Amino acid sequence: MAVASAADLTLLRSSAGRIAEVTDKLISGRVFSYRIVPRSDPDAAWTFRPRGWMSFVGEGVTLLEQADSQFMCRTDVTKFYESIRIETLEQMLYARNCDRVSVKRIVSALRFWRELHGRDGLPIGPEGCAVLGNFFLEPVDRSIISTGIAHRRYGDDFLIFTPNRRFSEALVDLFDDELSGLNLSRSEEKTIYFDDPEDATANLKDGEIDYLDGGFAYSPGLKRSAVRRAFDRLVSDSDAIKQSRFRWILRFLMNKGDEYGCSRLSERQDLMNIDPKLTSEYLKTAGSDERVVENCMRRLSQTPESHLEALALHELRTMSKVRTGTAEANEFKRIASDRTRPWPTRCSAWKALARSDETKPRYLMEAAREEKEPNVRRAIVASLKRFSGDGRVKTFLQLAAKEFPESRYAVDWLKAAA
């Protein structure tokens, strides 16, 4: 983006002050960024209200404490400032009856910078541009408010509060539609759903997350290096770990397809058990890395413990995504056949076993006939997908649909996938 000169900044500030007299009154009280301090003297210099960010965080925490808004989605806009269309902004300002001389002056400057540097959008940093960018998202705020769902905003950082994930995902779809109308897009990487209000609260209060998230927004290489260093600190000082920061770091690396931390994380049962699902999902980034597979298999071969059962379940799901051999297949078979283990764990073991190169479809079909637990039997039937082209499997599926009622839909799915 262009770097504005002192004269440019003066022009931006004076023009934005006139515009803000109109736009700030239109922006919802749910927005805490770049709000203008009321002036008793119309000729006095304008300034932003202090402690906007702290108010934003405080409001988010308060909403999480309410029984009807304990599910939070945090998201923002991809490359927000540089994605703002000057012509769209100009139309919005005129439509709201902003001072036309000020609008014309500021839009002329923006177009000059665009022609000079070949870049669209607003310069990042000047207070005047913060005023304009804050107003640009006002239609999105209005649309969310119309649904009756609570939200809070600071700049392009949105917090959406709903009773459950289903409502949250529906609101995100609406959010995407509203952004599309402004030629903007949501950041998939920074969209995080929080099922636990305590986890969401910790995320809001964690200053390092804000530093990593925003401090390198326009230098992806530096940002990745900073996150990797944060991961190194996490591994070396796990006693002082913050769960929200741990989850944020792993999500960032996973969304970037960066397997930097996979090997060391797979060695640490204590860290993996903080969030078994997320850590196992991240380990998939490493593919068939021998170190990761070996570490997971070593844990799976140990005597089961109740507080590690969720970790075993998700590690087995990870193993079902990679090709394994005889030794691994034997371990999967042992877990799958152990009726003392919870049935979800056994289901994941059957899925991993079916993925193994050493598994024969005949063994899976015989196991399905002998299995007494309907949920596990359905999982065994579903694991035959890899062999759905085999004539003997097709015959077995026809019988399974009749003999095993719980497997009827799984059989239909397998036939459609064949």
Side-chain angles (χ1 to χ4, degrees):
M1 298 301 294
V3 178
S5 67
D8 292 332
L9 293 175
T10 301
L11 173 67
L12 272 171
R13 184 174 176 83
S14 61
S15 299
R18 294 292 186 187
I19 292 171
E21 291 176 357
V22 176
T23 59
D24 193 66
K25 297 174 183 177
L26 298 172
I27 296 173
S28 166
R30 299 181 178 193
V31 179
F32 295 87
S33 51
Y34 317 122
R35 305 310 300 267
I36 309 301
V37 173
R39 294 177 291 170
S40 56
D41 181 356
D43 295 323
W46 61 270
T47 186
F48 292 133
R49 296 178 193 174
R51 299 179 62 81
W53 176 259
M54 295 305 297
S55 298
F56 169 71
V57 171
E59 280 279 315
V61 172
T62 298
L63 284 169
L64 287 167
E65 292 173 347
Q66 299 175 5
D68 58 344
S69 302
Q70 293 195 320
F71 191 96
M72 187 181 87
C73 172
R74 185 171 188 174
T75 188
D76 73 1
V77 181
T78 302
K79 297 182 178 179
F80 175 54
Y81 275 85
E82 66 185 78
S83 300
I84 293 175
R85 298 285 181 90
I86 297 173
E87 287 74 19
T88 304
L89 174 63
E90 179 183 24
Q91 293 171 8
M92 291 172 63
L93 294 172
Y94 282 140
R96 301 302 195 279
N97 296 317
C98 294
D99 181 72
R100 299 188 71 85
V101 173
S102 298
V103 174
K104 184 175 181 181
R105 185 183 298 128
I106 206 168
V107 168
S108 296
L110 293 172
R111 285 180 173 144
F112 172 75
W113 291 329
R114 179 173 64 184
E115 293 170 3
L116 181 65
H117 296 278
R119 300 292 296 274
D120 209 342
L122 301 180
I124 300 168
E127 290 180 319
C129 291
V131 168
L132 299 173
N134 208 34
F135 170 68
F136 197 72
L137 291 172
E138 188 271 336
V140 182
D141 295 318
R142 194 164 5 100
S143 179
I144 296 175
I145 292 170
S146 70
T147 68
I149 293 298
H151 89 291
R152 296 295 182 266
R153 175 166 72 85
Y154 190 94
D156 66 323
D157 191 348
F158 284 80
L159 306 177
I160 299 173
F161 301 89
T162 59
N164 53 56
R165 188 183 184 106
R166 181 172 59 85
F167 276 94
S168 189
E169 291 176 342
L171 256 294
V172 167
D173 288 341
L174 173 65
F175 182 74
D176 288 343
D177 290 341
E178 292 298 324
L179 289 181
S180 178
L182 296 172
N183 294 298
L184 301 173
S185 61
R186 173 173 56 89
S187 172
E188 293 281 356
E189 171 190 328
K190 296 181 182 179
T191 299
I192 306 176
Y193 295 96
F194 294 92
D195 300 276
D196 184 349
E198 291 186 4
D199 189 21
T201 299
N203 176 273
L204 288 175
K205 292 181 176 180
D206 195 327
E208 184 171 0
I209 290 178
D210 297 326
Y211 167 72
L212 292 171
D213 200 23
F216 303 96
Y218 294 91
S219 181
L222 286 176
K223 182 172 183 178
R224 181 174 295 195
S225 297
V227 174
R228 286 180 170 186
R229 289 195 299 273
F231 176 85
D232 292 339
R233 292 195 299 273
L234 178 152
V235 172
S236 62
D237 188 19
S238 56
D239 291 337
I241 191 172
K242 291 185 177 181
Q243 293 186 17
S244 60
R245 189 178 302 168
F246 171 77
R247 292 185 174 103
W248 189 93
I249 290 169
L250 289 197
R251 286 190 183 103
F252 177 90
L253 295 173
M254 182 169 65
N255 289 336
K256 293 294 184 182
D258 188 345
E259 60 183 270
Y260 176 78
C262 287
S263 179
R264 280 183 295 165
L265 182 62
S266 68
E267 297 171 352
R268 296 288 300 276
Q269 177 175 285
D270 57 331
L271 292 180
M272 290 193 66
N273 207 38
I274 291 174
D275 191 328
K277 181 179 180 181
L278 176 60
T279 52
S280 298
E281 285 290 324
Y282 174 52
L283 293 188
K284 293 177 185 177
T285 308
S288 298
D289 187 301
E290 291 183 2
R291 297 167 299 176
V292 173
V293 172
E294 182 179 341
N295 289 331
C296 288
M297 293 307 303
R298 183 169 58 251
R299 256 190 309 277
L300 290 170
S301 66
Q302 296 172 355
T303 302
E305 299 180 59
S306 58
H307 73 286
L308 296 175
E309 195 64 44
L311 179 57
L313 166 68
H314 290 290
E315 284 189 301
L316 285 165
R317 289 178 176 175
T318 298
M319 291 297 98
S320 71
K321 301 298 181 181
V322 299
R323 288 292 178 86
T324 51
T326 304
E328 293 83 6
N330 289 336
E331 190 59 44
F332 299 148
K333 188 182 299 184
R334 183 186 66 80
I335 298 172
S337 303
D338 185 352
R339 289 184 167 81
T340 66
R341 303 292 289 267
W343 68 259
T345 304
R346 295 182 59 209
C347 290
S348 295
W350 280 113
K351 187 175 181 180
L353 177 59
R355 176 69 171 173
S356 170
D357 285 336
E358 301 301 317
T359 303
K360 306 299 182 183
R362 184 177 62 181
Y363 178 81
L364 296 174
M365 291 186 287
E366 290 175 354
R369 292 189 183 97
E370 295 174 1
E371 180 59 52
K372 303 302 181 183
E373 167 58 53
N375 291 301
V376 177
R377 187 165 53 215
R378 180 173 59 243
I380 300 173
V381 171
S383 71
L384 287 164
K385 179 182 178 182
R386 180 183 171 193
F387 310 100
S388 57
D390 187 303
R392 291 170 299 175
V393 172
K394 291 181 179 179
T395 301
F396 169 79
L397 291 177
Q398 291 176 350
L399 295 174
K402 298 177 181 178
E403 296 180 13
F404 313 137
E406 79 286 341
S407 301
R408 180 162 53 90
Y409 294 111
V411 171
D412 290 343
W413 171 70
L414 287 172
K415 289 180 178 178

